[in-house]
Amino acid sequence: MAASRVRILMIVLASGVIFDLLLLESENINIGLGSAAELTGYWLFGVMVFLTLFNLRKKLSMIPLGPASIWLALHTVGGVLALALFWLHTGTIWPTGIYEQVLVVLFYATVASGIFGYVAQKIYPPRLTQSGVEVIYERIPDHIFEIRDEVEALVLQCTEDTRVDTLGRHYLDTMSWFFRKPRFFLSHMVGSQMGRQWVRQQDANVRRYLNDAEAEFLDKMTELAMLKNGIDLHYALQSIMKRWLLIHLPLTAALMTLSVWHLLVVNVYAL
Amino acid sequence: MSNSFDYRFDRSSYERPNNRFVCGRATEWGKPCGRGPNGDGTCGGTAECQPFNRNGRWECRRAPQDGGPCADGPGPDGVCGCSTPPCVPRRSMRQLRWRATVIFVGLAIALIAVFTQLTTSGDIFAGSARLAALDAGDLTGSHAGFTGAKGCKTCHEAHDAAPTGWLRAVFGKNDLSGQCVDCHKFGGPADRPHNAVFAATASNGKTGKKTECTMCHTEHKGVDADISTLDNKQCAACHKKSFSTFDRGHPKFSKQFPHFRRTSIRFNHASHLNKNFLKPEVKDKAPASCTTCHQASSAQRSVEPLGFEASCAGCHDDQISKRNLVVLRLPEFEESSIDKEAVLEACGPVADEEEEDEEFESVSGEELNSVGAFLMNVESDDPEAYSEAFQNLLMAMAEEGTVPLGGLLEQSAETANPGTMFAGLNPEAVKRMACAWARNQEYELPAEPQYGGWYGDIVDLIYRPSGHADPVVKAWLEMAISAKSDDDDVTERISDMREELLSARDGAGACVKCHAVTQDTEDGPLRIEWNYHKDTGQSYQTYSHGQHLSLVNPQGVKLADPTQGCATCHKLDQKADFASGFKDFNPKTFSSNFASLNKQACVQCHTEGRVRQDCQLCHDYHKEPGFTDRVTRNEN
């Protein structure tokens, strides 16, 4: 077993032990007519602060704070621990006060977005590897421009060489839409092959009207279209892997803000 | 394959996703420029390079990844020759994330600010108590009515306080229990377990663990929430005798349970059921069932009898009026010192006046009765001691009627109430009786008294009880039982008076034949148990007889079948010496008519899978819970 897996397993076990100890202690406190919510609340807040530090770890990459994989594992397991602690703390899945309800909605939304991000980070990278294309997200506009440029040069060359504009009109009427920007975002997101099918369909549609010389140019154009489809896949999946944080981080910030207020109010009113 | 897939340093630019802006052309899927946007968000790519002046000549410095130096080179003025129209850079994803985070935090703070203003009396959502950042949820219905205009401050002192007040509250301790006892009160300290300092704890010089109301009762769970529920585990936290359920491990009931003292009424169930009720002359008056005499349908722990009229009067009513109270008895005098002239003046002449020179012979041969001896503070069996005092009393009664009697009573017993004790005593009748006795004559009753009340008969001043709970008799008995003195002689007279009035056999009104005389502590006062005694000694136990009665026999209990009804649990103990329990004043030395209850009787139903068996079903936590008068005043 790889060392990283052992470490992750240790983290999971440690979290499980922490939760079990808290569960037992809460039970003891409840039995002793104490306030277990105070204990679980502070632990929950502490875990949430620790989860928030994950973002700080990314920003302080120059400081040796341990491997990012460990931090990700801590963040993931900590998130699950936080959810369990949350239910232990509240004793319900839906509280009564409007403020608490807002807090809970934010908590659940943050957890849900985190789960979505975790699943995306687990599922999409293998699919990107399988696509056969490797591309930096920030360079995708450049790649798309260059492919489009290359395709348009190819179409011009075809018209000049064959003195026939069938492929040119096909490009203008149909394929230029495809090469202008990333397409089939949703189908790439859910793993559908709609983009590939669309390219093949267009190829088949026009091929019957082309002579042999034009067909050679069509072959090259289809090849570029398939490459473009691979880049579209990267664009879709990498966008999701980057943009889910657009939801997760703001939600986390709002949640922490309301949690601090909750902590203050509880100390003023109840403890 | 496109050349741009080559990531060599001299063939592609270095991406900087941390930058705040990205090239506007790239966002529109055009060719991004190599130089990218400026830090302030303006386009930095209108020229492809920044020419360098070397030895007076301008050199093109276009990067290799952008194609290297251009063929035309810079102009003579040092301006790049490859200019392009400017783009509109867009914010990078990191920047968008940061802005979204700031906006969300701002919204959260705004939400807190808005909610904080929307208090329960907020104008925008007036009446909607839940729209407040400080509101953790609805109060239970019973508490919501007592917060009123004072609102949250009723319980939370820091509410509406200045920031400094909040700061103090954060680092201080909130005394929520202190607010609870404004309305709730108990039969002991509110902040101690079970509102009591138990003997075992007190013997160690301790007062027990401090408790808070919020340990068990937490609010804001909704209007209909049950905020009083404990569970068995919580009970087991303190009660060291641990067990899982009632049917598995609960200690056996004590040998006495549920009879921890004798009853306040000397009613022998065994002799009545087995002997008295079977007599032909009373058979038709005998109760048909236990519920004929006991109010069981709505009874909780105690099943009170319905009272004398419903339960006893059928057989025992006339016995009360037969037990007269003799307050004063004319004793035997050896000689008379009564001034006949004074008698003549007070009482007037009579037709058959005796000759003066006859030797004095007392019309009464009786001793002074114990009540009279107590009132006059004289020896009852020594004529020399009582003659003068009694004859003086007679003259005073002949002149003033009842007044001297009241005076004697007030002198003898400080707590006595002559108004009640001589209620209905006719002064004229007293005068006539005193005159007769002063003349050394028997008092002849004009007519036989048919009903209760005062009358004189030969040598006695008598009160006949009018019926059960006669107030005059009760007052005399109360006086007799409460009288006390440091003088040994007086104490002996008090004892004699008690023996006469409180005699179970011949006592006034036959009260003590049924009502127990009790001394709760060794040195405590005696008292007559006029009312049904509710056993509060086991104050943490609760039981509903009413609910169980419907289980054993909805129609009531048939005495003919002792295997049913109340007898299901309450079985007569035929061998018990019930009467012996009333021979002394200690209520704890007794023998119950009924056998003690066994836990198995309860376990028949209260067992796993059948009927509840949690601790709180039979045990209360609080001792004598109640409310302060603040609840009725509803102050906010």
Side-chain angles (χ1 to χ4, degrees):
Chain A
M1 189 179 288
S4 61
R5 284 185 178 275
V6 172
R7 279 186 293 207
I8 290 170
L9 189 63
M10 294 291 286
I11 291 169
V12 172
L13 286 174
S15 297
V17 169
I18 289 172
F19 181 74
D20 284 344
L21 288 175
L22 283 173
L23 190 63
L24 284 173
E25 184 59 20
S26 298
E27 187 75 2
N28 284 336
I29 291 173
N30 281 330
I31 288 172
L33 304 176
S35 173
E38 193 178 336
L39 173 77
T40 55
Y42 275 112
W43 264 92
L44 175 60
F45 186 73
V47 170
M48 286 165 64
V49 170
F50 176 76
L51 292 172
T52 311
L53 291 178
F54 184 48
N55 191 41
L56 199 64
R57 158 68 182 81
K58 288 182 182 175
K59 288 182 166 53
L60 298 175
S61 56
M62 73 293 289
I63 302 174
L65 294 172
S69 62
I70 294 297
W71 275 86
L72 176 62
L74 285 170
H75 189 78
T76 307
V77 177
V80 176
L81 178 63
L83 185 62
L85 281 175
F86 175 81
W87 283 327
L88 186 62
H89 174 63
T90 60
T92 177
I93 58 171
W94 189 245
T96 51
I98 186 77
Y99 182 79
E100 272 72 15
Q101 286 169 352
V102 172
L103 197 60
V104 165
V105 166
L106 275 176
F107 185 86
Y108 285 152
T110 306
V111 170
S113 62
I115 292 171
F116 176 83
Y118 178 79
V119 172
Q121 301 281 10
K122 284 291 173 188
I123 292 176
Y124 288 164
R127 283 185 56 201
L128 291 175
T129 305
Q130 289 165 4
S131 72
V133 179
E134 191 174 339
V135 61
I136 295 174
Y137 181 75
E138 286 74 16
R139 290 190 183 172
I140 286 175
D142 195 12
H143 296 327
I144 288 177
F145 170 79
E146 290 190 5
I147 290 171
R148 185 170 67 236
D149 201 34
E150 197 169 339
V151 169
E152 288 175 355
L154 192 69
V155 170
L156 285 174
Q157 184 69 41
C158 175
T159 306
E160 285 177 7
D161 290 357
T162 61
R163 299 293 176 182
V164 179
D165 65 349
T166 309
L167 192 60
R169 280 189 281 118
H170 171 66
Y171 175 78
L172 288 174
D173 293 344
T174 307
M175 296 304 289
S176 64
W177 171 85
F178 176 73
F179 285 107
R180 190 157 62 242
K181 57 192 282 190
R183 299 293 183 187
F184 301 106
F185 190 96
L186 282 176
S187 64
H188 286 308
M189 180 181 155
V190 299
S192 163
Q193 297 292 328
M194 190 182 287
R196 181 179 291 270
Q197 291 298 329
W198 187 87
V199 170
R200 285 180 178 162
Q201 185 65 45
Q202 303 314 314
D203 180 283
N205 286 348
V206 75
R207 187 172 293 278
R208 71 188 74 167
Y209 304 109
L210 303 181
N211 56 33
D212 290 346
E214 287 176 302
E216 289 181 15
F217 285 100
L218 178 63
D219 289 341
K220 292 177 181 174
M221 188 165 77
T222 301
E223 185 183 341
L224 288 170
M226 287 299 183
L227 177 61
K228 159 71 167 47
N229 186 61
I231 291 173
D232 287 354
L233 174 72
H234 269 263
Y235 176 74
L237 301 192
Q238 289 198 48
S239 289
I240 290 167
M241 286 195 289
K242 288 178 181 292
R243 289 181 182 176
W244 74 273
L245 286 172
L246 270 175
I247 303 296
H248 188 66
L249 287 183
L251 282 175
T252 302
L255 175 65
M256 292 306 293
T257 307
L258 292 186
S259 297
V260 168
W261 175 257
H262 173 75
L263 194 64
L264 179 69
V265 168
V266 166
N267 271 281
V268 170
Y269 280 76
L271 299 180
Chain B
M1 182 73 68
S2 170
N3 291 334
S4 63
F5 284 79
D6 189 342
Y7 293 129
R8 277 176 48 162
F9 73 95
D10 58 347
R11 295 187 185 177
S12 64
S13 57
Y14 185 76
E15 301 297 339
R16 296 180 187 279
N18 287 357
N19 283 352
R20 294 170 59 199
F21 294 92
V22 295
C23 179
R25 296 188 189 93
T27 59
E28 294 176 356
W29 310 106
K31 173 75 175 171
C33 65
R35 301 186 64 190
N38 297 318
D40 60 357
T42 57
C43 178
T46 52
E48 291 188 4
C49 77
Q50 188 171 2
F52 179 73
N53 192 316
R54 184 195 295 268
N55 300 326
R57 284 182 61 85
W58 290 99
E59 292 181 358
C60 177
R61 303 302 293 268
R62 193 165 71 176
Q65 59 268 31
D66 293 331
C70 60
D72 296 335
D77 53 356
V79 176
C80 175
C82 302
S83 62
T84 53
C87 71
V88 181
R90 302 278 177 84
R91 293 186 185 277
S92 67
M93 194 172 295
R94 177 172 288 251
Q95 183 69 7
L96 287 176
R97 219 159 56 199
W98 168 246
R99 292 188 72 148
T101 301
V102 171
I103 289 170
F104 269 59
V105 170
L107 283 174
I109 293 171
L111 200 68
I112 292 169
V114 170
F115 275 16
T116 307
Q117 294 307 310
L118 295 178
T119 58
T120 51
S121 57
D123 294 327
I124 302 175
F125 297 100
S128 180
R130 303 180 65 183
L131 282 173
L134 310 174
D135 184 4
D138 284 338
L139 295 170
T140 50
S142 53
H143 282 157
F146 290 98
T147 53
K150 205 171 172 184
C152 308
K153 207 170 174 61
T154 307
C155 300
H156 304 285
E157 288 183 332
H159 184 71
D160 284 344
T164 51
W166 274 47
L167 200 62
R168 277 196 298 273
V170 166
F171 294 103
K173 183 76 178 168
N174 284 284
D175 182 21
L176 291 176
S177 298
Q179 319 301 322
C180 301
V181 294
D182 281 353
C183 295
H184 294 273
K185 68 175 182 181
F186 306 97
D191 60 351
R192 289 292 179 272
H194 296 292
N195 308 122
V197 178
F198 295 103
T201 309
S203 64
N204 297 330
K206 298 176 181 175
T207 56
K209 183 183 176 184
K210 194 173 186 299
T211 57
E212 300 282 348
C213 305
T214 50
M215 287 177 166
C216 301
H217 308 284
T218 49
E219 259 293 358
H220 299 291
K221 291 179 178 174
V223 176
D224 301 320
D226 179 5
I227 62 166
S228 302
T229 304
L230 288 169
D231 64 28
N232 296 352
K233 289 179 181 175
Q234 288 169 320
C235 299
C238 297
H239 294 267
K240 298 302 180 189
K241 173 74 177 175
S242 60
F243 51 90
S244 55
T245 56
F246 174 71
D247 60 345
R248 295 177 187 172
H250 186 284
K252 289 179 180 176
F253 297 162
S254 66
K255 289 181 179 177
Q256 287 182 305
F257 185 82
H259 315 108
F260 296 99
R261 74 188 301 282
R262 70 185 180 200
T263 53
S264 55
I265 303 296
R266 195 186 316 207
F267 180 82
N268 191 331
H269 283 82
S271 62
H272 277 80
L273 292 172
N274 296 331
K275 191 170 67 178
N276 299 357
F277 291 161
L278 303 179
K279 291 178 181 173
E281 62 270 26
V282 297
K283 203 170 184 180
D284 57 331
K285 297 175 184 175
S289 69
C290 300
T291 52
T292 306
C293 299
H294 288 276
Q295 175 57 270
S297 60
S298 59
Q300 295 299 310
R301 265 184 62 198
S302 300
V303 185
E304 296 188 25
L306 290 169
F308 178 83
E309 300 300 334
S311 306
C312 314
C315 298
H316 297 284
D317 198 26
D318 60 338
Q319 294 176 7
I320 292 175
S321 58
K322 288 179 182 174
R323 302 292 194 280
N324 293 336
L325 166 66
V326 178
V327 172
L328 206 59
R329 173 168 292 153
L330 179 68
E332 180 181 11
F333 299 133
E334 291 180 347
E335 58 183 27
S336 174
S337 61
I338 296 173
D339 183 359
K340 293 189 176 178
E341 291 297 324
V343 174
L344 183 63
E345 185 178 340
C347 305
V350 290
D352 51 348
E353 193 87 27
E354 290 183 6
E355 294 298 323
E356 291 184 9
D357 55 352
E358 283 186 15
E359 187 180 350
F360 178 78
E361 184 178 354
S362 180
V363 71
S364 171
E366 304 286 340
E367 282 187 358
L368 181 61
N369 68 327
S370 63
V371 180
F374 170 73
L375 290 175
M376 289 187 292
N377 194 19
V378 293
E379 292 291 332
S380 61
D381 55 355
D382 183 3
E384 287 185 11
Y386 63 68
S387 291
E388 184 179 354
F390 199 97
Q391 289 169 7
N392 289 340
L393 173 65
L394 285 181
M395 284 310 301
M397 288 166 60
E399 291 169 358
E400 301 177 70
T402 57
V403 174
L405 291 173
L408 279 179
L409 191 58
E410 287 175 342
Q411 283 177 12
S412 308
E414 293 176 359
T415 58
N417 181 3
T420 304
M421 294 169 70
F422 287 117
L425 179 57
N426 188 339
E428 281 300 318
V430 171
K431 275 189 175 184
R432 284 198 299 273
M433 185 186 68
C435 287
W437 288 352
R439 290 188 183 105
N440 195 30
Q441 296 174 348
E442 291 179 344
Y443 177 70
E444 293 182 8
L445 188 62
E448 187 71 22
Q450 288 185 316
Y451 310 107
W454 291 97
Y455 66 96
D457 185 16
I458 307 177
V459 292
D460 291 336
L461 174 59
I462 298 171
Y463 179 81
R464 172 176 288 184
S466 57
H468 184 253
D470 186 285
V472 174
V473 175
K474 279 184 72 175
W476 277 97
L477 264 58
E478 286 290 345
M479 185 277 289
I481 208 164
S482 63
K484 59 183 178 182
S485 173
D486 297 330
D487 188 292
D488 291 343
D489 292 337
V490 177
T491 302
E492 189 177 344
R493 283 177 210 123
I494 291 172
S495 180
D496 292 343
M497 177 175 63
R498 284 178 184 160
E499 195 174 326
E500 182 178 330
L501 295 185
L502 301 177
S503 165
R505 182 180 179 83
D506 302 316
C511 300
V512 180
K513 183 180 181 184
C514 299
H515 291 276
V517 178
T518 294
Q519 190 173 27
D520 293 306
T521 57
E522 194 172 339
D523 301 325
L526 290 169
R527 63 184 179 86
I528 301 171
E529 297 199 52
W530 295 117
N531 299 313
Y532 175 79
H533 174 81
K534 284 187 176 179
D535 188 2
T536 56
Q538 308 296 313
S539 58
Y540 302 109
Q541 291 176 358
T542 180
Y543 181 81
S544 172
H545 275 91
Q547 290 179 357
H548 288 81
L549 190 69
S550 63
L551 294 172
V552 295
N553 188 344
Q555 303 304 318
V557 179
K558 303 296 181 188
L559 293 173
D561 185 355
T563 64
Q564 291 187 356
C566 302
T568 305
C569 301
H570 300 286
K571 298 188 185 305
L572 274 176
D573 183 356
Q574 308 287 1
K575 297 178 181 176
D577 184 7
F578 179 77
S580 66
F582 295 86
K583 286 180 178 173
D584 59 19
F585 301 133
N586 186 351
K588 299 292 177 66
T589 55
F590 73 106
S591 295
S592 175
N593 264 152
F594 294 92
S596 58
L597 289 185
N598 192 305
K599 186 186 132 183
Q600 291 308 315
C602 307
V603 171
Q604 292 174 48
C605 299
H606 295 277
T607 187
E608 192 169 349
R610 298 194 68 185
V611 186
R612 275 177 62 193
Q613 52 173 337
D614 52 281
C615 302
Q616 286 199 90
L617 183 65
C618 303
H619 298 285
D620 288 329
Y621 176 83
H622 286 295
K623 182 181 181 183
E624 300 163 24
F627 296 102
T628 65
D629 60 350
R630 182 186 178 279
V631 175
T632 54
R633 285 187 275 117
N634 194 17
E635 289 177 351
N636 292 313

